[in-house]
Amino acid sequence: MDAVSTSERKSVPYRDKTLLFDFDGTLSLGVGPVVAYARAAAQQLPADEARALVKTVVATLDEHPSGRAPGTNAIDGYDLVRLMSADHGIRPETLGEAYLASRAHLGSPLAPVVAPDGIADFLSEARQHANLVVATNAPDIRIDEALEVLGLAGLFDATYTSLGKPNGMAAVLDEWLPRGQVLSIGDVWVNDLAPAHARGALTALVGSTSDETPDVTPTFSAHHLHDLYPAITEWLRDSSSSPSSPAPLTTPSER
């Protein structure tokens, strides 16, 4: 999205390390919000065709929860909906309204979300050593409510919405890199991690790199965020701030 980034922050104590988290697909898991987006987009179609679009999206996400289905070039579930909507003649310029309508249900039974295993305990420990920041392209619609549902309310020092990543990451990095080292954590290399990598920050990729380019070189990587907790914790506690060997990718399974 192209909106100017916004930030909501508390009075942040001095910590010389920052964990910078993407939201959808990283902190907030599950295909519910993407299916809600597909349903909202499909309302532009006749009933039978609308059901067919949603059914196709759901079936694809069942097999590829990340949305990165082979042969689609989709970078995530939302991009998958965009591409499949085009196949049904839905104009791209109409999808913005559908997306906003779907976000109004974020974290509700109409767009359910789940948290990564053990994330609340991990963040509670991590914030003793690092600033915790959320940076997302999503608008500021029910983000707080979703964090509440995920059990993560009150754990973050700052939240940036409508960033327009990858370019929008520059402003966030400008703010947090002067404080010390930053570890950017996300599921889409080009949006969440490449801008941080280019500025000398550390990166942690959640998900498979099999459909990414050879230029993808995260500091840490694993199929699930919880598999990265030990490596990130070691880095946070290491006064020398030098990362250990990247965590290996685990066996693929649904995130």
PDB file of all heavy atoms in Angstrom, residues 30-40 42 49-69 77-78 80-82 84-85 88 110 112 254:
ATOM      1  N   GLY A  30      -2.661 -17.854   9.823  1.00  0.00           N
ATOM      2  CA  GLY A  30      -3.971 -18.368   9.426  1.00  0.00           C
ATOM      3  C   GLY A  30      -4.448 -17.705   8.148  1.00  0.00           C
ATOM      4  O   GLY A  30      -4.118 -16.552   7.863  1.00  0.00           O
ATOM      5  N   VAL A  31      -5.245 -18.430   7.393  1.00  0.00           N
ATOM      6  CA  VAL A  31      -5.708 -17.933   6.098  1.00  0.00           C
ATOM      7  C   VAL A  31      -7.013 -17.152   6.205  1.00  0.00           C
ATOM      8  O   VAL A  31      -7.506 -16.642   5.196  1.00  0.00           O
ATOM      9  CB  VAL A  31      -5.885 -19.105   5.100  1.00  0.00           C
ATOM     10  CG1 VAL A  31      -4.570 -19.840   4.914  1.00  0.00           C
ATOM     11  CG2 VAL A  31      -6.983 -20.067   5.561  1.00  0.00           C
ATOM     12  N   GLY A  32      -7.560 -17.017   7.407  1.00  0.00           N
ATOM     13  CA  GLY A  32      -8.850 -16.341   7.579  1.00  0.00           C
ATOM     14  C   GLY A  32      -8.929 -14.964   6.953  1.00  0.00           C
ATOM     15  O   GLY A  32      -9.885 -14.664   6.217  1.00  0.00           O
ATOM     16  N   PRO A  33      -7.954 -14.067   7.206  1.00  0.00           N
ATOM     17  CA  PRO A  33      -8.033 -12.729   6.614  1.00  0.00           C
ATOM     18  C   PRO A  33      -7.951 -12.745   5.092  1.00  0.00           C
ATOM     19  O   PRO A  33      -8.581 -11.914   4.423  1.00  0.00           O
ATOM     20  CB  PRO A  33      -6.823 -12.010   7.228  1.00  0.00           C
ATOM     21  CG  PRO A  33      -6.587 -12.720   8.518  1.00  0.00           C
ATOM     22  CD  PRO A  33      -6.894 -14.158   8.223  1.00  0.00           C
ATOM     23  N   VAL A  34      -7.187 -13.674   4.524  1.00  0.00           N
ATOM     24  CA  VAL A  34      -7.077 -13.761   3.068  1.00  0.00           C
ATOM     25  C   VAL A  34      -8.400 -14.253   2.471  1.00  0.00           C
ATOM     26  O   VAL A  34      -8.862 -13.738   1.441  1.00  0.00           O
ATOM     27  CB  VAL A  34      -5.921 -14.686   2.661  1.00  0.00           C
ATOM     28  CG1 VAL A  34      -5.869 -14.846   1.145  1.00  0.00           C
ATOM     29  CG2 VAL A  34      -4.596 -14.130   3.168  1.00  0.00           C
ATOM     30  N   VAL A  35      -9.014 -15.234   3.098  1.00  0.00           N
ATOM     31  CA  VAL A  35     -10.308 -15.725   2.622  1.00  0.00           C
ATOM     32  C   VAL A  35     -11.357 -14.616   2.729  1.00  0.00           C
ATOM     33  O   VAL A  35     -12.207 -14.459   1.830  1.00  0.00           O
ATOM     34  CB  VAL A  35     -10.733 -16.977   3.407  1.00  0.00           C
ATOM     35  CG1 VAL A  35     -12.152 -17.398   3.012  1.00  0.00           C
ATOM     36  CG2 VAL A  35      -9.757 -18.118   3.165  1.00  0.00           C
ATOM     37  N   ALA A  36     -11.304 -13.828   3.790  1.00  0.00           N
ATOM     38  CA  ALA A  36     -12.230 -12.699   3.926  1.00  0.00           C
ATOM     39  C   ALA A  36     -12.034 -11.701   2.785  1.00  0.00           C
ATOM     40  O   ALA A  36     -13.000 -11.140   2.252  1.00  0.00           O
ATOM     41  CB  ALA A  36     -12.022 -12.017   5.275  1.00  0.00           C
ATOM     42  N   TYR A  37     -10.782 -11.489   2.404  1.00  0.00           N
ATOM     43  CA  TYR A  37     -10.476 -10.611   1.267  1.00  0.00           C
ATOM     44  C   TYR A  37     -11.048 -11.180  -0.023  1.00  0.00           C
ATOM     45  O   TYR A  37     -11.656 -10.462  -0.832  1.00  0.00           O
ATOM     46  CB  TYR A  37      -8.956 -10.465   1.176  1.00  0.00           C
ATOM     47  CG  TYR A  37      -8.427  -9.635   0.046  1.00  0.00           C
ATOM     48  CD1 TYR A  37      -9.104  -8.518  -0.442  1.00  0.00           C
ATOM     49  CD2 TYR A  37      -7.195  -9.950  -0.532  1.00  0.00           C
ATOM     50  CE1 TYR A  37      -8.575  -7.755  -1.486  1.00  0.00           C
ATOM     51  CE2 TYR A  37      -6.669  -9.192  -1.566  1.00  0.00           C
ATOM     52  CZ  TYR A  37      -7.353  -8.100  -2.035  1.00  0.00           C
ATOM     53  OH  TYR A  37      -6.832  -7.355  -3.054  1.00  0.00           O
ATOM     54  N   ALA A  38     -10.880 -12.474  -0.227  1.00  0.00           N
ATOM     55  CA  ALA A  38     -11.430 -13.112  -1.423  1.00  0.00           C
ATOM     56  C   ALA A  38     -12.950 -12.982  -1.464  1.00  0.00           C
ATOM     57  O   ALA A  38     -13.534 -12.704  -2.524  1.00  0.00           O
ATOM     58  CB  ALA A  38     -11.013 -14.585  -1.464  1.00  0.00           C
ATOM     59  N   ARG A  39     -13.600 -13.179  -0.334  1.00  0.00           N
ATOM     60  CA  ARG A  39     -15.062 -13.044  -0.285  1.00  0.00           C
ATOM     61  C   ARG A  39     -15.486 -11.618  -0.621  1.00  0.00           C
ATOM     62  O   ARG A  39     -16.462 -11.411  -1.355  1.00  0.00           O
ATOM     63  CB  ARG A  39     -15.583 -13.435   1.098  1.00  0.00           C
ATOM     64  CG  ARG A  39     -15.471 -14.928   1.416  1.00  0.00           C
ATOM     65  CD  ARG A  39     -16.317 -15.274   2.623  1.00  0.00           C
ATOM     66  NE  ARG A  39     -16.168 -16.670   3.007  1.00  0.00           N
ATOM     67  CZ  ARG A  39     -15.481 -17.098   4.061  1.00  0.00           C
ATOM     68  NH1 ARG A  39     -14.892 -16.222   4.870  1.00  0.00           N
ATOM     69  NH2 ARG A  39     -15.393 -18.378   4.330  1.00  0.00           N
ATOM     70  N   ALA A  40     -14.775 -10.645  -0.085  1.00  0.00           N
ATOM     71  CA  ALA A  40     -15.119  -9.250  -0.351  1.00  0.00           C
ATOM     72  C   ALA A  40     -14.913  -8.912  -1.825  1.00  0.00           C
ATOM     73  O   ALA A  40     -15.739  -8.234  -2.447  1.00  0.00           O
ATOM     74  CB  ALA A  40     -14.284  -8.323   0.529  1.00  0.00           C
ATOM     75  N   ALA A  42     -15.017 -11.029  -4.292  1.00  0.00           N
ATOM     76  CA  ALA A  42     -15.945 -11.820  -5.097  1.00  0.00           C
ATOM     77  C   ALA A  42     -17.350 -11.227  -5.128  1.00  0.00           C
ATOM     78  O   ALA A  42     -18.157 -11.609  -5.993  1.00  0.00           O
ATOM     79  CB  ALA A  42     -15.999 -13.251  -4.561  1.00  0.00           C
ATOM     80  N   GLU A  49     -20.197 -17.441  -9.920  1.00  0.00           N
ATOM     81  CA  GLU A  49     -18.788 -17.158 -10.187  1.00  0.00           C
ATOM     82  C   GLU A  49     -18.076 -16.737  -8.910  1.00  0.00           C
ATOM     83  O   GLU A  49     -16.898 -17.068  -8.709  1.00  0.00           O
ATOM     84  CB  GLU A  49     -18.661 -16.079 -11.260  1.00  0.00           C
ATOM     85  CG  GLU A  49     -17.258 -15.946 -11.809  1.00  0.00           C
ATOM     86  CD  GLU A  49     -17.166 -14.994 -12.989  1.00  0.00           C
ATOM     87  OE1 GLU A  49     -18.237 -14.520 -13.441  1.00  0.00           O
ATOM     88  OE2 GLU A  49     -16.041 -14.726 -13.443  1.00  0.00           O
ATOM     89  N   ALA A  50     -18.773 -16.013  -8.038  1.00  0.00           N
ATOM     90  CA  ALA A  50     -18.185 -15.593  -6.764  1.00  0.00           C
ATOM     91  C   ALA A  50     -17.836 -16.813  -5.920  1.00  0.00           C
ATOM     92  O   ALA A  50     -16.743 -16.897  -5.334  1.00  0.00           O
ATOM     93  CB  ALA A  50     -19.158 -14.687  -6.015  1.00  0.00           C
ATOM     94  N   ARG A  51     -18.751 -17.763  -5.857  1.00  0.00           N
ATOM     95  CA  ARG A  51     -18.488 -18.982  -5.085  1.00  0.00           C
ATOM     96  C   ARG A  51     -17.305 -19.747  -5.668  1.00  0.00           C
ATOM     97  O   ARG A  51     -16.486 -20.300  -4.933  1.00  0.00           O
ATOM     98  CB  ARG A  51     -19.745 -19.868  -5.048  1.00  0.00           C
ATOM     99  CG  ARG A  51     -20.825 -19.374  -4.103  1.00  0.00           C
ATOM    100  CD  ARG A  51     -21.890 -20.433  -3.888  1.00  0.00           C
ATOM    101  NE  ARG A  51     -22.670 -20.648  -5.098  1.00  0.00           N
ATOM    102  CZ  ARG A  51     -23.774 -19.977  -5.419  1.00  0.00           C
ATOM    103  NH1 ARG A  51     -24.236 -19.038  -4.593  1.00  0.00           N
ATOM    104  NH2 ARG A  51     -24.437 -20.241  -6.531  1.00  0.00           N
ATOM    105  N   ALA A  52     -17.213 -19.762  -6.981  1.00  0.00           N
ATOM    106  CA  ALA A  52     -16.106 -20.471  -7.632  1.00  0.00           C
ATOM    107  C   ALA A  52     -14.766 -19.827  -7.300  1.00  0.00           C
ATOM    108  O   ALA A  52     -13.776 -20.524  -7.046  1.00  0.00           O
ATOM    109  CB  ALA A  52     -16.324 -20.491  -9.145  1.00  0.00           C
ATOM    110  N   LEU A  53     -14.721 -18.489  -7.301  1.00  0.00           N
ATOM    111  CA  LEU A  53     -13.474 -17.788  -6.969  1.00  0.00           C
ATOM    112  C   LEU A  53     -13.051 -18.095  -5.539  1.00  0.00           C
ATOM    113  O   LEU A  53     -11.887 -18.452  -5.287  1.00  0.00           O
ATOM    114  CB  LEU A  53     -13.643 -16.284  -7.160  1.00  0.00           C
ATOM    115  CG  LEU A  53     -12.493 -15.412  -6.647  1.00  0.00           C
ATOM    116  CD1 LEU A  53     -11.176 -15.788  -7.306  1.00  0.00           C
ATOM    117  CD2 LEU A  53     -12.812 -13.932  -6.858  1.00  0.00           C
ATOM    118  N   VAL A  54     -13.979 -17.970  -4.610  1.00  0.00           N
ATOM    119  CA  VAL A  54     -13.642 -18.211  -3.205  1.00  0.00           C
ATOM    120  C   VAL A  54     -13.231 -19.666  -3.004  1.00  0.00           C
ATOM    121  O   VAL A  54     -12.256 -19.958  -2.286  1.00  0.00           O
ATOM    122  CB  VAL A  54     -14.831 -17.850  -2.287  1.00  0.00           C
ATOM    123  CG1 VAL A  54     -14.528 -18.245  -0.842  1.00  0.00           C
ATOM    124  CG2 VAL A  54     -15.132 -16.362  -2.369  1.00  0.00           C
ATOM    125  N   LYS A  55     -13.929 -20.584  -3.660  1.00  0.00           N
ATOM    126  CA  LYS A  55     -13.595 -22.003  -3.536  1.00  0.00           C
ATOM    127  C   LYS A  55     -12.183 -22.270  -4.046  1.00  0.00           C
ATOM    128  O   LYS A  55     -11.416 -23.028  -3.427  1.00  0.00           O
ATOM    129  CB  LYS A  55     -14.605 -22.843  -4.312  1.00  0.00           C
ATOM    130  CG  LYS A  55     -14.376 -24.349  -4.197  1.00  0.00           C
ATOM    131  CD  LYS A  55     -15.451 -25.132  -4.945  1.00  0.00           C
ATOM    132  CE  LYS A  55     -15.216 -26.633  -4.830  1.00  0.00           C
ATOM    133  NZ  LYS A  55     -16.277 -27.391  -5.565  1.00  0.00           N
ATOM    134  N   THR A  56     -11.810 -21.630  -5.150  1.00  0.00           N
ATOM    135  CA  THR A  56     -10.471 -21.822  -5.707  1.00  0.00           C
ATOM    136  C   THR A  56      -9.404 -21.261  -4.778  1.00  0.00           C
ATOM    137  O   THR A  56      -8.354 -21.873  -4.565  1.00  0.00           O
ATOM    138  CB  THR A  56     -10.364 -21.153  -7.089  1.00  0.00           C
ATOM    139  OG1 THR A  56     -11.345 -21.720  -7.963  1.00  0.00           O
ATOM    140  CG2 THR A  56      -8.983 -21.361  -7.690  1.00  0.00           C
ATOM    141  N   VAL A  57      -9.668 -20.084  -4.210  1.00  0.00           N
ATOM    142  CA  VAL A  57      -8.719 -19.474  -3.279  1.00  0.00           C
ATOM    143  C   VAL A  57      -8.532 -20.371  -2.056  1.00  0.00           C
ATOM    144  O   VAL A  57      -7.402 -20.639  -1.630  1.00  0.00           O
ATOM    145  CB  VAL A  57      -9.190 -18.064  -2.862  1.00  0.00           C
ATOM    146  CG1 VAL A  57      -8.342 -17.548  -1.700  1.00  0.00           C
ATOM    147  CG2 VAL A  57      -9.120 -17.105  -4.043  1.00  0.00           C
ATOM    148  N   VAL A  58      -9.649 -20.836  -1.494  1.00  0.00           N
ATOM    149  CA  VAL A  58      -9.572 -21.680  -0.298  1.00  0.00           C
ATOM    150  C   VAL A  58      -8.810 -22.971  -0.593  1.00  0.00           C
ATOM    151  O   VAL A  58      -7.954 -23.402   0.193  1.00  0.00           O
ATOM    152  CB  VAL A  58     -10.991 -21.989   0.233  1.00  0.00           C
ATOM    153  CG1 VAL A  58     -10.934 -23.066   1.318  1.00  0.00           C
ATOM    154  CG2 VAL A  58     -11.648 -20.727   0.773  1.00  0.00           C
ATOM    155  N   ALA A  59      -9.093 -23.593  -1.730  1.00  0.00           N
ATOM    156  CA  ALA A  59      -8.413 -24.837  -2.082  1.00  0.00           C
ATOM    157  C   ALA A  59      -6.913 -24.616  -2.267  1.00  0.00           C
ATOM    158  O   ALA A  59      -6.092 -25.445  -1.845  1.00  0.00           O
ATOM    159  CB  ALA A  59      -9.023 -25.410  -3.361  1.00  0.00           C
ATOM    160  N   THR A  60      -6.555 -23.499  -2.868  1.00  0.00           N
ATOM    161  CA  THR A  60      -5.127 -23.200  -3.070  1.00  0.00           C
ATOM    162  C   THR A  60      -4.440 -22.944  -1.739  1.00  0.00           C
ATOM    163  O   THR A  60      -3.319 -23.404  -1.506  1.00  0.00           O
ATOM    164  CB  THR A  60      -4.966 -21.977  -3.993  1.00  0.00           C
ATOM    165  OG1 THR A  60      -5.644 -22.227  -5.228  1.00  0.00           O
ATOM    166  CG2 THR A  60      -3.497 -21.710  -4.280  1.00  0.00           C
ATOM    167  N   LEU A  61      -5.110 -22.213  -0.852  1.00  0.00           N
ATOM    168  CA  LEU A  61      -4.523 -21.932   0.459  1.00  0.00           C
ATOM    169  C   LEU A  61      -4.433 -23.185   1.317  1.00  0.00           C
ATOM    170  O   LEU A  61      -3.529 -23.305   2.154  1.00  0.00           O
ATOM    171  CB  LEU A  61      -5.344 -20.862   1.174  1.00  0.00           C
ATOM    172  CG  LEU A  61      -5.291 -19.454   0.567  1.00  0.00           C
ATOM    173  CD1 LEU A  61      -6.280 -18.533   1.268  1.00  0.00           C
ATOM    174  CD2 LEU A  61      -3.882 -18.881   0.650  1.00  0.00           C
ATOM    175  N   ASP A  62      -5.363 -24.119   1.127  1.00  0.00           N
ATOM    176  CA  ASP A  62      -5.284 -25.385   1.864  1.00  0.00           C
ATOM    177  C   ASP A  62      -3.975 -26.106   1.535  1.00  0.00           C
ATOM    178  O   ASP A  62      -3.350 -26.717   2.404  1.00  0.00           O
ATOM    179  CB  ASP A  62      -6.463 -26.290   1.504  1.00  0.00           C
ATOM    180  CG  ASP A  62      -7.738 -25.890   2.220  1.00  0.00           C
ATOM    181  OD1 ASP A  62      -7.647 -25.104   3.192  1.00  0.00           O
ATOM    182  OD2 ASP A  62      -8.819 -26.346   1.794  1.00  0.00           O
ATOM    183  N   GLU A  63      -3.570 -26.003   0.283  1.00  0.00           N
ATOM    184  CA  GLU A  63      -2.351 -26.684  -0.152  1.00  0.00           C
ATOM    185  C   GLU A  63      -1.111 -25.826   0.060  1.00  0.00           C
ATOM    186  O   GLU A  63      -0.026 -26.330   0.341  1.00  0.00           O
ATOM    187  CB  GLU A  63      -2.463 -27.064  -1.627  1.00  0.00           C
ATOM    188  CG  GLU A  63      -1.343 -27.968  -2.102  1.00  0.00           C
ATOM    189  CD  GLU A  63      -1.587 -28.509  -3.499  1.00  0.00           C
ATOM    190  OE1 GLU A  63      -2.690 -28.268  -4.045  1.00  0.00           O
ATOM    191  OE2 GLU A  63      -0.692 -29.180  -4.034  1.00  0.00           O
ATOM    192  N   HIS A  64      -1.292 -24.495  -0.053  1.00  0.00           N
ATOM    193  CA  HIS A  64      -0.169 -23.560   0.061  1.00  0.00           C
ATOM    194  C   HIS A  64      -0.595 -22.401   0.966  1.00  0.00           C
ATOM    195  O   HIS A  64      -0.977 -21.341   0.476  1.00  0.00           O
ATOM    196  CB  HIS A  64       0.249 -23.039  -1.307  1.00  0.00           C
ATOM    197  CG  HIS A  64       0.566 -24.108  -2.304  1.00  0.00           C
ATOM    198  ND1 HIS A  64       1.758 -24.811  -2.287  1.00  0.00           N
ATOM    199  CD2 HIS A  64      -0.167 -24.613  -3.334  1.00  0.00           C
ATOM    200  CE1 HIS A  64       1.756 -25.696  -3.271  1.00  0.00           C
ATOM    201  NE2 HIS A  64       0.611 -25.599  -3.915  1.00  0.00           N
ATOM    202  N   PRO A  65      -0.552 -22.587   2.289  1.00  0.00           N
ATOM    203  CA  PRO A  65      -1.049 -21.557   3.212  1.00  0.00           C
ATOM    204  C   PRO A  65      -0.362 -20.207   3.071  1.00  0.00           C
ATOM    205  O   PRO A  65      -0.950 -19.175   3.413  1.00  0.00           O
ATOM    206  CB  PRO A  65      -0.773 -22.175   4.593  1.00  0.00           C
ATOM    207  CG  PRO A  65      -0.713 -23.635   4.352  1.00  0.00           C
ATOM    208  CD  PRO A  65      -0.114 -23.804   2.989  1.00  0.00           C
ATOM    209  N   SER A  66       0.867 -20.192   2.591  1.00  0.00           N
ATOM    210  CA  SER A  66       1.570 -18.924   2.409  1.00  0.00           C
ATOM    211  C   SER A  66       1.015 -18.119   1.246  1.00  0.00           C
ATOM    212  O   SER A  66       1.286 -16.918   1.125  1.00  0.00           O
ATOM    213  CB  SER A  66       3.061 -19.174   2.169  1.00  0.00           C
ATOM    214  OG  SER A  66       3.262 -19.767   0.894  1.00  0.00           O
ATOM    215  N   GLY A  67       0.259 -18.778   0.366  1.00  0.00           N
ATOM    216  CA  GLY A  67      -0.240 -18.118  -0.843  1.00  0.00           C
ATOM    217  C   GLY A  67       0.715 -18.215  -2.012  1.00  0.00           C
ATOM    218  O   GLY A  67       0.348 -17.905  -3.143  1.00  0.00           O
ATOM    219  N   ARG A  68       1.938 -18.658  -1.765  1.00  0.00           N
ATOM    220  CA  ARG A  68       2.947 -18.725  -2.822  1.00  0.00           C
ATOM    221  C   ARG A  68       2.813 -20.045  -3.594  1.00  0.00           C
ATOM    222  O   ARG A  68       3.677 -20.911  -3.555  1.00  0.00           O
ATOM    223  CB  ARG A  68       4.340 -18.555  -2.236  1.00  0.00           C
ATOM    224  CG  ARG A  68       4.565 -17.181  -1.624  1.00  0.00           C
ATOM    225  CD  ARG A  68       6.024 -16.954  -1.264  1.00  0.00           C
ATOM    226  NE  ARG A  68       6.435 -17.723  -0.118  1.00  0.00           N
ATOM    227  CZ  ARG A  68       6.331 -17.317   1.155  1.00  0.00           C
ATOM    228  NH1 ARG A  68       5.798 -16.127   1.416  1.00  0.00           N
ATOM    229  NH2 ARG A  68       6.740 -18.075   2.145  1.00  0.00           N
ATOM    230  N   ALA A  69       1.689 -20.165  -4.295  1.00  0.00           N
ATOM    231  CA  ALA A  69       1.419 -21.390  -5.046  1.00  0.00           C
ATOM    232  C   ALA A  69       2.256 -21.435  -6.313  1.00  0.00           C
ATOM    233  O   ALA A  69       2.403 -20.416  -7.005  1.00  0.00           O
ATOM    234  CB  ALA A  69      -0.070 -21.459  -5.401  1.00  0.00           C
ATOM    235  N   GLY A  77      -0.645 -14.523   0.323  1.00  0.00           N
ATOM    236  CA  GLY A  77      -2.045 -14.836   0.089  1.00  0.00           C
ATOM    237  C   GLY A  77      -2.828 -13.691  -0.523  1.00  0.00           C
ATOM    238  O   GLY A  77      -3.708 -13.903  -1.377  1.00  0.00           O
ATOM    239  N   TYR A  78      -2.540 -12.480  -0.093  1.00  0.00           N
ATOM    240  CA  TYR A  78      -3.258 -11.321  -0.628  1.00  0.00           C
ATOM    241  C   TYR A  78      -2.940 -11.134  -2.108  1.00  0.00           C
ATOM    242  O   TYR A  78      -3.827 -10.787  -2.907  1.00  0.00           O
ATOM    243  CB  TYR A  78      -2.907 -10.071   0.169  1.00  0.00           C
ATOM    244  CG  TYR A  78      -3.365 -10.152   1.598  1.00  0.00           C
ATOM    245  CD1 TYR A  78      -2.485 -10.542   2.612  1.00  0.00           C
ATOM    246  CD2 TYR A  78      -4.679  -9.883   1.943  1.00  0.00           C
ATOM    247  CE1 TYR A  78      -2.910 -10.654   3.928  1.00  0.00           C
ATOM    248  CE2 TYR A  78      -5.117  -9.991   3.251  1.00  0.00           C
ATOM    249  CZ  TYR A  78      -4.226 -10.376   4.239  1.00  0.00           C
ATOM    250  OH  TYR A  78      -4.648 -10.490   5.531  1.00  0.00           O
ATOM    251  N   LEU A  80      -2.137 -13.529  -4.071  1.00  0.00           N
ATOM    252  CA  LEU A  80      -2.829 -14.639  -4.724  1.00  0.00           C
ATOM    253  C   LEU A  80      -4.267 -14.248  -5.066  1.00  0.00           C
ATOM    254  O   LEU A  80      -4.746 -14.511  -6.177  1.00  0.00           O
ATOM    255  CB  LEU A  80      -2.820 -15.865  -3.816  1.00  0.00           C
ATOM    256  CG  LEU A  80      -3.543 -17.103  -4.349  1.00  0.00           C
ATOM    257  CD1 LEU A  80      -2.750 -17.730  -5.497  1.00  0.00           C
ATOM    258  CD2 LEU A  80      -3.750 -18.120  -3.222  1.00  0.00           C
ATOM    259  N   VAL A  81      -4.946 -13.612  -4.129  1.00  0.00           N
ATOM    260  CA  VAL A  81      -6.320 -13.166  -4.381  1.00  0.00           C
ATOM    261  C   VAL A  81      -6.352 -12.151  -5.520  1.00  0.00           C
ATOM    262  O   VAL A  81      -7.232 -12.199  -6.392  1.00  0.00           O
ATOM    263  CB  VAL A  81      -6.946 -12.570  -3.110  1.00  0.00           C
ATOM    264  CG1 VAL A  81      -8.308 -11.922  -3.421  1.00  0.00           C
ATOM    265  CG2 VAL A  81      -7.103 -13.645  -2.040  1.00  0.00           C
ATOM    266  N   ARG A  82      -5.399 -11.245  -5.526  1.00  0.00           N
ATOM    267  CA  ARG A  82      -5.330 -10.253  -6.602  1.00  0.00           C
ATOM    268  C   ARG A  82      -5.205 -10.946  -7.962  1.00  0.00           C
ATOM    269  O   ARG A  82      -5.926 -10.605  -8.917  1.00  0.00           O
ATOM    270  CB  ARG A  82      -4.143  -9.312  -6.381  1.00  0.00           C
ATOM    271  CG  ARG A  82      -3.942  -8.289  -7.502  1.00  0.00           C
ATOM    272  CD  ARG A  82      -2.686  -7.474  -7.274  1.00  0.00           C
ATOM    273  NE  ARG A  82      -1.466  -8.269  -7.373  1.00  0.00           N
ATOM    274  CZ  ARG A  82      -0.881  -8.573  -8.531  1.00  0.00           C
ATOM    275  NH1 ARG A  82      -1.404  -8.174  -9.686  1.00  0.00           N
ATOM    276  NH2 ARG A  82       0.236  -9.297  -8.539  1.00  0.00           N
ATOM    277  N   MET A  84      -5.900 -14.127  -8.802  1.00  0.00           N
ATOM    278  CA  MET A  84      -7.057 -14.948  -9.138  1.00  0.00           C
ATOM    279  C   MET A  84      -8.272 -14.089  -9.460  1.00  0.00           C
ATOM    280  O   MET A  84      -9.112 -14.470 -10.295  1.00  0.00           O
ATOM    281  CB  MET A  84      -7.356 -15.922  -8.001  1.00  0.00           C
ATOM    282  CG  MET A  84      -6.321 -17.020  -7.866  1.00  0.00           C
ATOM    283  SD  MET A  84      -6.796 -18.292  -6.675  1.00  0.00           S
ATOM    284  CE  MET A  84      -5.540 -19.541  -7.023  1.00  0.00           C
ATOM    285  N   SER A  85      -8.388 -12.929  -8.811  1.00  0.00           N
ATOM    286  CA  SER A  85      -9.490 -12.016  -9.118  1.00  0.00           C
ATOM    287  C   SER A  85      -9.382 -11.523 -10.554  1.00  0.00           C
ATOM    288  O   SER A  85     -10.393 -11.408 -11.266  1.00  0.00           O
ATOM    289  CB  SER A  85      -9.470 -10.823  -8.157  1.00  0.00           C
ATOM    290  OG  SER A  85      -9.730 -11.230  -6.837  1.00  0.00           O
ATOM    291  N   HIS A  88     -10.855 -13.645 -13.087  1.00  0.00           N
ATOM    292  CA  HIS A  88     -12.322 -13.580 -13.150  1.00  0.00           C
ATOM    293  C   HIS A  88     -12.805 -12.219 -13.655  1.00  0.00           C
ATOM    294  O   HIS A  88     -13.997 -11.923 -13.581  1.00  0.00           O
ATOM    295  CB  HIS A  88     -12.917 -13.864 -11.769  1.00  0.00           C
ATOM    296  CG  HIS A  88     -12.873 -15.319 -11.392  1.00  0.00           C
ATOM    297  ND1 HIS A  88     -13.944 -16.157 -11.533  1.00  0.00           N
ATOM    298  CD2 HIS A  88     -11.855 -16.069 -10.892  1.00  0.00           C
ATOM    299  CE1 HIS A  88     -13.606 -17.376 -11.123  1.00  0.00           C
ATOM    300  NE2 HIS A  88     -12.351 -17.351 -10.720  1.00  0.00           N
ATOM    301  N   LEU A 110     -15.103 -13.960  11.270  1.00  0.00           N
ATOM    302  CA  LEU A 110     -15.148 -13.846   9.817  1.00  0.00           C
ATOM    303  C   LEU A 110     -13.757 -13.764   9.189  1.00  0.00           C
ATOM    304  O   LEU A 110     -13.610 -13.964   7.979  1.00  0.00           O
ATOM    305  CB  LEU A 110     -15.968 -12.619   9.408  1.00  0.00           C
ATOM    306  CG  LEU A 110     -17.453 -12.666   9.751  1.00  0.00           C
ATOM    307  CD1 LEU A 110     -18.129 -11.353   9.364  1.00  0.00           C
ATOM    308  CD2 LEU A 110     -18.131 -13.847   9.053  1.00  0.00           C
ATOM    309  N   PRO A 112     -10.550 -15.074  11.103  1.00  0.00           N
ATOM    310  CA  PRO A 112      -9.824 -15.504  12.298  1.00  0.00           C
ATOM    311  C   PRO A 112      -8.317 -15.532  12.083  1.00  0.00           C
ATOM    312  O   PRO A 112      -7.831 -15.744  10.968  1.00  0.00           O
ATOM    313  CB  PRO A 112     -10.359 -16.917  12.548  1.00  0.00           C
ATOM    314  CG  PRO A 112     -10.835 -17.386  11.206  1.00  0.00           C
ATOM    315  CD  PRO A 112     -11.352 -16.158  10.508  1.00  0.00           C
ATOM    316  N   GLU A 254       2.297 -26.774   7.273  1.00  0.00           N
ATOM    317  CA  GLU A 254       1.415 -25.600   7.284  1.00  0.00           C
ATOM    318  C   GLU A 254       1.779 -24.678   8.413  1.00  0.00           C
ATOM    319  O   GLU A 254       1.991 -25.095   9.548  1.00  0.00           O
ATOM    320  CB  GLU A 254      -0.047 -26.043   7.439  1.00  0.00           C
ATOM    321  CG  GLU A 254      -1.001 -24.879   7.423  1.00  0.00           C
ATOM    322  CD  GLU A 254      -2.431 -25.349   7.406  1.00  0.00           C
ATOM    323  OE1 GLU A 254      -2.667 -26.516   7.048  1.00  0.00           O
ATOM    324  OE2 GLU A 254      -3.301 -24.549   7.755  1.00  0.00           O
TER     325      GLU A 254
END
